[in-house]
Amino acid sequence: MKPKVFITRKIPAEALEKIKEVCEVSIWNNEDVPVPRDVLEKEVVEVDALYSMLTDAVDEQLMEKAKNLKVVSNMAVGFNNIDLKVATKRGIKVTNTPGVLSETTADLTFTLMLATSRRLLEASDFLRQGEWKTWSPMLLTGQDVYGATLGIIGMGRIGEAVARRAKGFDMNILYHNRSRKPGTEEELGAQYTDMETLLKESDFICIMTPYTPETHGLIGEKELQLMKKTAILINTARGGIVNEDALYKALKNEDIYAAGLDVFENEPIPTDHQLLKLPNLVALPHIGSASIKTRTTMANLAVENMLQALNGKVPPNLVNTDVM
Ligand code: NAP
């Protein structure tokens, strides 16, 4: 009998075909809305594998219903949507898709650095709205990226990919992790600092940590107050790492210069949200890894992880290694 799989969103055809060859597949074939909770709860009852997205809460209540579940294959590097402790307790393997999206996400992080510092969206609106009357020395002037100091909070796979780009812009690179990375310091010329020094000295602060209880609200009022008035905050990690009320106040009062966000505490962010009324915020709909090539690679890697786990093997990207 073929193993049963539920896929929680439309995925690239080539990935879907690979699953269909060996599994009985049910799918929430909709790109616009996540699978409703009641549908998800019904679908998992008999499945051996769940192919999930970062928008699906794979919690105790759901896993309790999924008595046959052997693997949750998340099509993302982040896995904060899954209760790992419960999965491990129930013998369920959890996998993610690390590495293959680092460069694409670093590209978007750099896009946000450039867009915020050079006021890209403001300038584009200015032109389209017919306000462009003449060239003027100080018109729409912003901050330089070239030669500035970049502070990376979370120097992991994506953080390093951002730092490599920053080298090409002759940036001075600071970083903060819970543990130092001497190899990275040597290779990229990055300097380890405590959090306070990084916040005080950086022109750009990029958040690249996972979302965990420890990083929840990592950037709040106190941290924003430590930043330079000209500092730019970029968050392409997870929304809950930055306190949005504190960020709103800091941007509104011009305590910092600008922010670029790809992620929000609640997604999708409501269009009437106070943050979206600010000219010094560039906001994107969680598209960090959204290139055709990378999303296809992620989808295929999630398939490989899932099929290996279903075959009783150790999948290449097992997150809860203690489950073995
Ligand atoms: P990674 O390789 O695991 O790197 C994470 C880094 O954060 C590690 O170097 C880790 O070092 C550091 N870190 C963890 N907890 C920390 C803390 N409390 N304080 C300071 N540093 C801490 O992960 P990655 O592949 O680079 O991905 C990072 C995150 O980006 C993912 O978890 C995901 O949520 C997000 N992401 C978003 C998008 C998007 O679409 N916007 C795309 C891809 C990924 P230590 O352990 O030494 O502290």
Side-chain angles (χ1 to χ4, degrees):
M1 224 171 51
K2 286 181 171 179
K4 290 191 172 73
V5 175
F6 181 58
I7 306 171
T8 67
R9 201 71 56 87
K10 187 174 176 185
I11 60 170
E14 67 176 74
L16 181 60
E17 284 316 307
K18 282 185 204 159
I19 305 175
K20 279 186 171 169
E21 277 170 24
V22 284
C23 300
E24 193 181 309
V25 176
S26 175
I27 183 165
W28 176 255
N29 219 344
N30 189 325
E31 277 185 298
D32 301 328
V33 282
V35 56
R37 181 71 187 192
D38 59 324
V39 176
L40 180 60
E41 287 190 2
K42 274 191 203 124
E43 288 285 356
V44 296
V45 171
E46 293 201 342
V47 297
D48 299 283
L50 180 64
Y51 187 109
S52 58
M53 308 291 145
L54 54 89
T55 43
D56 308 315
V58 185
D59 50 24
E60 182 159 25
Q61 193 192 330
L62 189 79
M63 287 187 265
E64 177 61 36
K65 290 185 189 304
K67 305 281 187 215
N68 297 337
L69 190 62
K70 295 165 190 68
V71 52
V72 177
S73 176
N74 217 34
M75 197 190 127
V77 63
F79 44 81
N80 49 288
N81 57 310
I82 302 167
D83 190 326
L84 275 193
K85 268 197 192 142
V86 172
T88 305
K89 203 172 75 192
R90 301 185 75 92
I92 299 167
K93 293 176 183 130
V94 175
T95 63
N96 66 343
T97 59
V100 295
L101 42 57
S102 302
E103 299 298 338
T104 304
T105 308
D107 280 350
L108 191 87
T109 305
F110 233 88
T111 304
L112 280 173
M113 286 166 61
L114 291 161
T116 45
S117 60
R118 297 302 299 272
R119 303 170 59 184
L120 202 77
L121 301 190
E122 270 181 87
S124 173
D125 287 348
F126 178 86
L127 179 152
R128 284 168 186 265
Q129 286 159 12
E131 291 175 46
W132 186 22
K133 305 288 186 265
T134 182
W135 186 93
S136 193
M138 297 311 283
L139 178 67
L140 285 163
T141 45
Q143 308 283 346
D144 277 323
V145 178
Y146 182 83
T149 295
L150 168 65
I152 295 177
I153 304 175
M155 183 68 100
R157 289 170 292 241
I158 302 172
E160 285 181 4
V162 172
R164 280 196 299 276
R165 284 155 179 74
K167 275 189 79 173
F169 280 70
D170 211 13
M171 296 181 90
N172 171 34
I173 304 164
L174 308 179
Y175 81 99
H176 180 74
N177 266 10
R178 290 167 305 175
S179 50
R180 280 184 77 153
K181 298 180 88 175
T184 306
E185 290 175 25
E186 202 175 317
E187 187 199 340
L188 298 171
Q191 189 191 330
Y192 183 84
T193 69
D194 57 49
M195 188 75 164
E196 191 171 325
T197 307
L198 183 145
L199 295 171
K200 280 181 176 166
E201 293 188 2
S202 300
D203 299 307
F204 292 84
I205 293 146
C206 286
I207 299 164
M208 290 307 349
T209 67
Y211 184 43
T212 62
E214 205 184 337
T215 62
H216 174 78
L218 188 70
I219 303 296
E221 195 178 332
K222 180 174 143 252
E223 290 71 27
L224 288 157
Q225 288 304 322
L226 288 171
M227 295 177 196
K228 294 180 185 177
K229 286 234 173 228
T230 49
I232 295 177
L233 177 71
I234 306 292
N235 185 8
T236 50
R238 285 289 184 269
I241 301 171
V242 176
N243 180 316
E244 286 176 358
D245 284 338
L247 178 63
Y248 173 79
K249 278 187 208 135
L251 288 169
K252 177 90 183 154
N253 298 337
E254 298 180 6
D255 295 332
I256 65 169
Y257 188 75
L261 305 178
D262 183 43
V263 287
F264 300 88
E265 282 176 8
N266 294 304
E267 296 181 1
I269 185 172
T271 48
D272 61 355
H273 194 286
Q274 57 182 2
L275 272 174
L276 301 183
K277 297 184 172 48
L278 297 170
N280 51 352
L281 177 93
V282 175
L284 298 175
H286 202 148
I287 56 166
S289 62
S291 76
I292 298 164
K293 186 172 160 218
T294 291
R295 284 286 166 82
T296 307
T297 309
M298 287 166 67
N300 287 332
L301 184 54
V303 172
E304 192 188 337
N305 280 321
M306 190 180 77
L307 296 184
Q308 296 270 10
L310 284 174
N311 282 334
K313 296 190 179 136
V314 182
N317 306 110
L318 183 64
V319 174
N320 53 343
T321 43
D322 45 344
V323 78
M324 299 308 290

